[in-house]
Amino acid sequence: MNPDIDNGIVVESTEEIGSLIRLVRKEQGIKQVVAAGLFGSGNRFISEAENGKKTLQAQKLIDLMNMVGLEVVVRRKRARA
């Protein structure tokens, strides 16, 4: 997966969100254990988020996205070609 994150990407699953979090974290050179420390959580939460666990708390997932420099944008769904 090599998305153009800066121009936005439509995600349809927690797995895709997790992959993007992992991609950006790795681009920043931050190990999972360090991300966990910065985020104030255990390494398990970071791992579960990056692996797309469906039962994570939405706010914690959004907070993690914010920490690595990602943002959530909500808009009406566009018709696909």
Side-chain angles (χ1 to χ4, degrees):
M1 175 188 242
N2 190 14
D4 185 2
I5 299 172
D6 294 334
N7 288 318
I9 182 169
V10 175
V11 294
E12 296 179 349
S13 71
T14 55
E15 289 85 3
E16 290 174 329
I17 292 170
S19 292
L20 292 170
I21 291 170
R22 181 183 299 111
L23 176 71
V24 172
R25 175 185 58 76
K26 285 185 172 186
E27 284 177 351
Q28 296 170 353
I30 300 172
K31 294 184 182 280
Q32 269 189 351
V33 67
V34 173
L38 293 170
F39 190 61
S41 73
N43 191 53
R44 181 176 175 176
F45 177 80
I46 305 299
S47 176
E48 289 175 345
E50 290 184 359
N51 286 302
K53 184 175 180 186
K54 295 179 184 338
T55 58
L56 293 178
Q57 293 177 13
Q59 186 59 58
K60 286 183 76 173
L61 186 59
I62 291 169
D63 291 344
L64 177 59
M65 292 175 69
N66 285 328
M67 187 191 84
V68 299
L70 296 171
E71 64 183 354
V72 177
V73 176
V74 177
R75 65 175 182 235
R76 291 187 190 275
K77 192 171 185 175
R78 297 177 182 171
R80 299 236 174 147

